[in-house]
DNA sequence: GAGGCTAGGCGTACGGTGTACACCTGTCAA
DNA sequence: TTGACAGGTGTACACCGTACGCCTAGCCTC
């Protein structure tokens, strides 16, 4: 009564575990992802996961790896255009998986897909004729942006709007104690349609700014020894 | 027998708690900092901390705030020079407190010192004659670099060196599967004195690159609507 | 002085976490 | 037939953040 009784669950493997973890994190965030909850979701006891994953760190590393491995393979045209394409692909991944930023930030091991993405971006610069020296510096300058990051520290979660009176008071003290950022915020509020920051616009702006700067250095025959 | 017997510990206050937490994190890292360990260090029961701190998140937020509040007050000369000075001060803080990067990345509330630092950097741009529009974009482009960050995801911890044979094998497979980053690594190894990346050099390079780019936009009368 | 308020510290307890370790069971190769 | 072994189980441990109630010393007011 083994093969026919209750339909026997196909045995787990690493890929299934990682896929389930990604799905769970997509639904409820990385904090809510525990070995126990993941195991429950897979209809398995927590310790069973450890047959497929060394520990939780390995699990998260694997999740990051699988997502990154799914990035679009861009045409190897070389130069800024290819870099842009690859980075935009990374950014799409980041937007699709809100937990990915935190997960990447905590990574310390370079898994194959991570190395592959870095290699692809570096390759784009090199194929575009950039020197190894300049490419190296460009990669550092792009920094986390090669993973599609935009800076999100100190982003306040959406709060329920305060009463008009409170809002007025807060605005006044802000203007008094932090006049410059208040001025900037007022400026954007007045000038842009949405009235707030537009992350995608800012991301593209910065990416273009950097790629332009690289192009200029490349054209000038820049070397780091200068 | 109250005032004279055993020397009565001065009552805790928020500042003392935060200072002790910063010291503990400096010594043993943020992961090792638990309410229990911190309480023990202060000679107090864990729950006593909650009279001075709302919860652990508030504790970490307070730690970040106190460190940032200690940044050098730069001369308000305005322009890129002041921006550079303020960012270098932030970077010094980051180098002095290894846990600070992680702590900042996880913050979601803008405490006063955080707002003050952001305001100071924005003020430097504005005093330098930059428009609110450009300043806003520049702040976004600097991103986490205004906190002195350099990108550190996927930085491998120092491992004990592998045997020459292993090293040889690893290097070959790296060169085969990830030729571009391998080429870059070899190039740096050959060209630089240390043979590895120099974080401070890279940080300064990028900062200068960005500040230069901003100056160019400023000189050209850039606006975001263009 | 007497009474009460309150800030600060204590003790206990709960539900959660990651994971070490020993065990069982089905499958397949020798 | 027998053994190894991959995969799943169950129990247990140490640790975490923190809710809740209590106790005590100092101070303010009457």
């Amino acid at each position: 009564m083994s093969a026919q009784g209750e339909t026997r669950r196909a045995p787990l493997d690493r890929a299934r575990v990682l896929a389930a973890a990604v799905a769970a994190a997509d639904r409820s965030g990385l904090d809510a992802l525990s070995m126990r909850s993941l195991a429950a979701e897979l209809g398995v006891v927590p310790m069973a996961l450890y047959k497929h994953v060394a520990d939780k760190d390995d699990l998260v590393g694997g999740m990051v790896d699988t997502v990154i491995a799914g990035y679009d393979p861009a045409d190897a045209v070389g130069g800024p255009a290819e870099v842009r394409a690859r980075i935009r692909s990374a950014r799409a991944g980041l937007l699709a998986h809100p937990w990915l930023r935190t997960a990447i930030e905590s990574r310390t091991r370079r898994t194959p897909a991570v190395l592959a993405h870095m290699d692809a971006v570096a390759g784009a610069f090199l194929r575009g004729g950039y020197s190894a020296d300049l490419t190296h510096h460009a990669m550092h300058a792009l920094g986390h942006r090669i993973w599609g990051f935009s800076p999100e520290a100190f982003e306040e979660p959406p709060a329920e709007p305060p009463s008009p009176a409170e809002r007025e008071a807060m605005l006044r003290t802000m203007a008094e104690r932090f006049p410059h950022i208040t001025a900037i915020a007022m400026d954007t509020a007045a000038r842009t349609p949405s009235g707030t920051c537009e992350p995608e616009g800012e991301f593209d702006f910065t990416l273009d700014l950097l790629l332009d700067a690289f192009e200029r250095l490349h054209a000038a025959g820049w070397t780091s020894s200068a």
Side-chain angles (χ1 to χ4, degrees), chain A residues 132-216:
Chain A
D133 192 8
L134 178 54
T135 300
H136 183 184
H137 281 72
M139 297 282 288
H140 274 280
L142 284 172
H144 283 177
R145 249 171 268 262
I146 74 170
W147 306 111
F149 283 19
S150 46
E152 288 177 26
F154 304 113
E155 297 275 301
E156 314 244 358
E160 82 285 14
S163 77
E166 285 175 330
R167 188 181 145 71
E168 180 66 24
M170 197 173 77
L171 225 143
R172 206 190 329 270
T173 74
M174 277 291 289
E176 192 178 320
R177 298 184 53 188
F178 312 110
H180 305 112
I181 47 181
T182 308
I184 291 172
M186 306 274 281
D187 177 78
T188 2
R191 195 164 27 69
T192 69
S194 72
T196 61
C197 294
E198 289 159 353
E200 298 315 299
E202 302 293 348
F203 186 84
D204 289 340
F205 167 80
T206 307
L207 186 53
D208 288 345
L209 194 72
L210 285 167
L211 292 178
D212 271 17
F214 300 154
E215 278 287 274
R216 222 184 309 264

Side-chain angles (χ1 to χ4, degrees), chain A residues 82-106:
Chain A
E82 184 186 343
V83 172
R84 204 181 328 255
R86 296 198 178 276
I87 292 186
R88 293 219 61 80
S89 172
R91 178 140 187 96
L94 211 75
L95 295 176
H97 307 286
W99 50 271
L100 190 54
R101 197 192 110 248
T102 320
I104 289 182
E105 275 170 347
S106 67

